[in-house]
Amino acid sequence: MKAPLRRFCSITLIAGAMLLLSDCSQRTTTSETPAKNTPAGAGFMNNPLLPGANNPNAINMSVTSEADLRKVEGSTDEDDIIWTDPDNPDAENAELDAAFENRRQGNGWLTDYGQALKLSRRQGKPLIIWFHDSVTSPKSKTLGKDLLETDSFDAQCKDRTIRFKLDSGVAIDETGRRNSRYSLSAINRLARKYGIDRRPGVVVICPHSGKVTARINGMDGFVHDIHQELLTGIQTAEASYEAHKKKLIAQGFRTWTERTGKSTLFAKLMRFDEKNNFVYLKDPGGKISKTRLERFCKADIAYLDEHARKKSTR
């Protein structure tokens, strides 16, 4: 073999060896980096607002100043306060938009679990959870088409309940490559928590206690019967909350009215900052918010002035 040819072969072999080593190095690095396939929201089972929490309205705190209030977990600025408009809960209102950003999807069914829980607790409305499977459960799709996603059911429920749908058909398990809002195993754990092991599964939950007042575990009967059972569960949860509300009133909770007279908020006065004209309120869910004095109706302003007068004479 001639010298030039030998040099060419040697260079070719060296270049091939270098490419092979580089490829192996890249493979090793990739294999040592674990894939991040945890679905978004997979930690929602640890939400402190889960139904059934002991005495969800109790917050141990000593509030003597604005600084103390700001240290309370969940304390919010006035723009986060949610006024409830009983005549038009879906109104185009900046204060309601954040809370109801998903409400219009699928005839009133929310897609965020934490949001649904908070709204149920804060507004004192029964929570409906629909464990759906759009892929493997024809009965669940039928229940949605004939009842749960109809305009008539939406009209019955939109002012009275908070609704949340979990679709196992679009969930991706932890072993999958794509992320989803909730993993399949997390959905199944939540379903078992409420006694659901079939699809469709629907539960009605009391807003203050987390008690299940209606449970549909599979579709064995007629849609009409399921409809009546859900309505009965809603009525039971509402009656239970009204009894609970009376106890809250005895603890200082009352209905506050916004200056337009259309919106109300059921909450307890925690502190009235006369110097800066801020009012601190705690809703039934335990969340403390503040809002400006001028945003309240005249009757509430008079109530606050009387409260301040009595406090100054003590």
Side-chain angles (χ1 to χ4, degrees):
M1 185 180 297
K2 296 181 180 180
L5 181 60
R6 284 199 299 271
R7 285 197 298 271
F8 174 77
C9 292
S10 299
I11 292 172
T12 302
L13 289 173
I14 292 172
M18 291 177 66
L19 287 173
L20 181 61
L21 288 173
S22 175
D23 182 64
C24 290
S25 175
Q26 289 179 2
R27 290 175 181 272
T28 303
T29 303
T30 302
S31 64
E32 290 175 352
T33 304
K36 296 181 179 180
N37 292 323
T38 303
F44 78 108
M45 296 297 292
N46 296 321
N47 193 313
L49 290 172
L50 279 174
N54 293 329
N55 196 5
N57 298 303
I59 294 182
N60 297 321
M61 59 183 174
S62 176
V63 179
T64 58
S65 67
E66 181 176 336
D68 290 337
L69 275 171
R70 301 307 296 165
K71 292 178 182 178
V72 176
E73 184 177 4
S75 180
T76 64
D77 291 328
E78 56 144 346
D79 290 337
D80 192 46
I81 196 168
I82 296 178
W83 296 89
T84 302
D85 185 345
D87 298 324
N88 190 8
D90 290 329
E92 293 294 339
N93 185 301
E95 295 165 345
L96 291 171
D97 283 346
F100 288 92
E101 60 183 352
N102 294 319
R103 188 176 177 86
R104 298 177 186 82
Q105 296 182 9
N107 292 95
W109 291 92
L110 294 167
T111 58
D112 185 276
Y113 181 60
Q115 181 187 46
L117 286 175
K118 290 177 182 178
L119 288 175
S120 175
R121 290 286 177 86
R122 295 181 72 177
Q123 298 185 17
K125 295 180 180 180
L127 174 62
I128 302 177
I129 301 181
W130 174 16
F131 294 96
H132 180 42
D133 192 328
S134 60
V135 176
T136 64
S137 177
K139 288 186 176 181
S140 192
K141 290 195 289 186
T142 298
L143 184 62
K145 179 175 66 72
D146 294 345
L147 176 62
L148 299 180
E149 292 182 320
T150 62
D151 292 338
S152 59
F153 187 75
D154 179 54
Q156 287 180 319
C157 293
K158 68 179 181 180
D159 295 336
R160 300 173 61 185
T161 67
I162 303 297
R163 287 162 287 163
F164 171 58
K165 178 171 68 174
L166 276 170
D167 188 354
S168 300
V170 299
I172 304 299
D173 206 349
E174 285 86 346
T175 57
R177 294 183 179 181
R178 293 186 292 120
N179 288 337
S180 63
R181 184 180 292 275
Y182 303 118
S183 69
L184 182 59
S185 62
I187 294 175
N188 290 335
R189 288 200 306 272
L190 186 65
R192 289 194 295 271
K193 171 184 172 67
Y194 292 117
I196 299 296
D197 56 13
R198 301 165 64 190
R199 299 293 185 272
V202 187
V203 290
V204 178
I205 302 165
C206 196
H208 67 284
S209 65
K211 180 181 178 181
V212 175
T213 57
R215 180 184 290 109
I216 308 299
N217 191 21
M219 187 175 170
D220 298 322
F222 297 103
V223 171
H224 172 77
D225 296 331
I226 294 175
H227 187 192
Q228 291 303 312
E229 188 171 347
L230 292 178
L231 291 180
T232 300
I234 292 171
Q235 293 170 354
T236 301
E238 288 174 334
S240 178
Y241 181 74
E242 284 303 311
H244 174 68
K245 191 174 180 180
K246 291 180 180 179
K247 296 179 181 179
L248 293 179
I249 292 174
Q251 298 172 14
F253 281 80
R254 65 188 296 273
T255 299
W256 302 82
T257 305
E258 199 255 348
R259 64 189 173 199
T260 64
K262 293 183 178 180
S263 302
T264 61
L265 180 72
F266 186 65
K268 180 178 180 178
L269 176 64
M270 299 304 297
R271 179 172 171 262
F272 176 30
D273 182 356
E274 299 173 75
K275 181 179 179 181
N276 299 301
N277 283 334
F278 277 119
V279 181
Y280 292 81
L281 301 174
K282 181 176 76 171
D283 66 34
K287 189 173 185 177
I288 294 179
S289 303
K290 76 173 182 179
T291 192
R292 293 187 178 91
L293 178 65
E294 60 265 25
R295 298 187 67 184
F296 292 89
C297 69
K298 292 182 179 179
D300 285 343
I301 292 176
Y303 172 87
L304 289 165
D305 288 340
E306 180 65 15
H307 169 82
R309 187 189 64 80
K310 290 180 178 180
K311 184 178 179 181
S312 64
T313 58
R314 290 176 185 173

